[in-house]
Amino acid sequence: MGLVGRSDSAGVDRDDAEVLRQAMTGSSAVGSAPTPASGRRSSEGFRLGNEILAFRFVATLGERRADPVERIGTPEQLRAWLIANELGSADMPASESLLRDARALREAIHRAGTAIASGGVPDPVDEELLNRWTARHRARLILTGGRARWHLPETDSARAALAVVALDAVATLGGHGDGVIKRCEQRTCGGLFVDTSRGRRRRWCSMATCGNKVKKANLKAARDGTEPGLTDG
């Protein structure tokens, strides 16, 4: 991976943040990947159906409100997630230190998003962590084969990739786009998504996974004459 340019500025203006967010989420014509299908999973079991890159990263810890499932338990799994999201390569260095920092970033994104989904604001500590990550942003968008892709620097490429995730989080959490940030209503999930549906009636991070779980539970409850128990409220 070659180094393509570099900026000495730690700041990102509103227009740049929106372009970069759209590029990674596939929500515009310059997206680095097609908008993922709901419920899509990688061969490693990563959930890739969320339209928002940062929230796909949050989903690497599943079943948050039950028995949590850690999907990036090793540096190698973290690298695999980056590759699955077109932010890494097989020769990308990954370490335990990187993994710890990546999980800290992930949880800051989740806490900040949950606060906003609940009508509040993120903790300043989480905001500061996210801002420190975005200050590391050194990736560049390049056009290849008619598609925009992230080109990472040769030095510390994994952290540069995670800075892209942080940038996407800041742009999304800060309201750079349509929709409302929500927390999945499937009781054991706790994942985040952006509801852009008409009337803002979407309830699940993915209809193919969490929505389907609730649908099946409701059908079983109706058949058994019991109360459904897989939604909040």
Side-chain angles (χ1 to χ4, degrees), residues 175-190:
H176 291 268
D178 297 330
V180 176
I181 294 172
K182 291 184 176 181
R183 187 173 68 167
C184 182
E185 292 185 27
Q186 202 279 100
R187 182 164 292 174
T188 65
C189 178

Side-chain angles (χ1 to χ4, degrees), residues 106-131:
R106 178 187 69 188
E107 295 313 301
I109 295 171
H110 181 257
R111 288 190 299 268
T114 299
I116 291 172
S118 301
V121 296
D123 188 303
V125 173
D126 290 328
E127 291 184 330
E128 176 59 25
L129 189 148
L130 289 171
N131 292 337

Side-chain angles (χ1 to χ4, degrees), residues 104-230:
L105 170 62
R106 178 187 69 188
E107 295 313 301
I109 295 171
H110 181 257
R111 288 190 299 268
T114 299
I116 291 172
S118 301
V121 296
D123 188 303
V125 173
D126 290 328
E127 291 184 330
E128 176 59 25
L129 189 148
L130 289 171
N131 292 337
R132 288 201 305 271
W133 272 102
T134 60
R136 298 173 177 173
H137 178 68
R138 295 183 295 130
R140 291 291 177 266
L141 280 175
I142 62 171
L143 187 66
T144 175
R147 296 175 64 204
R149 296 178 182 273
W150 287 110
H151 190 78
L152 303 173
E154 292 178 352
T155 304
D156 214 0
S157 57
R159 290 185 187 276
L162 290 171
V164 172
V165 176
L167 188 68
D168 184 69
V170 169
T172 301
L173 298 173
H176 291 268
D178 297 330
V180 176
I181 294 172
K182 291 184 176 181
R183 187 173 68 167
C184 182
E185 292 185 27
Q186 202 279 100
R187 182 164 292 174
T188 65
C189 178
L192 300 168
F193 64 95
V194 174
D195 184 4
T196 59
S197 67
R198 181 175 297 181
R200 304 296 190 255
R201 296 179 179 177
R202 180 175 165 186
R203 302 176 64 189
W204 330 113
C205 61
S206 169
M207 185 60 211
T209 52
C210 289
N212 195 44
K213 283 183 181 179
V214 174
K215 181 179 178 180
K216 288 181 177 179
N218 288 344
L219 289 173
K220 184 177 185 301
R223 185 171 59 248
D224 297 343
T226 60
E227 288 292 325
L230 277 180

Side-chain angles (χ1 to χ4, degrees), residues 63-135:
E63 299 295 303
R64 286 176 171 270
R65 293 183 283 179
D67 295 319
V69 177
E70 179 60 79
R71 297 188 175 100
I72 51 171
T74 66
E76 292 73 24
Q77 287 176 323
L78 172 60
R79 181 196 296 122
W81 185 88
L82 291 171
I83 293 172
N85 286 275
E86 300 187 7
L87 281 172
S89 61
D91 61 350
M92 173 181 279
S95 65
E96 290 292 341
S97 174
L98 176 72
L99 179 62
R100 286 193 299 271
D101 291 346
R103 287 177 177 173
L105 170 62
R106 178 187 69 188
E107 295 313 301
I109 295 171
H110 181 257
R111 288 190 299 268
T114 299
I116 291 172
S118 301
V121 296
D123 188 303
V125 173
D126 290 328
E127 291 184 330
E128 176 59 25
L129 189 148
L130 289 171
N131 292 337
R132 288 201 305 271
W133 272 102
T134 60

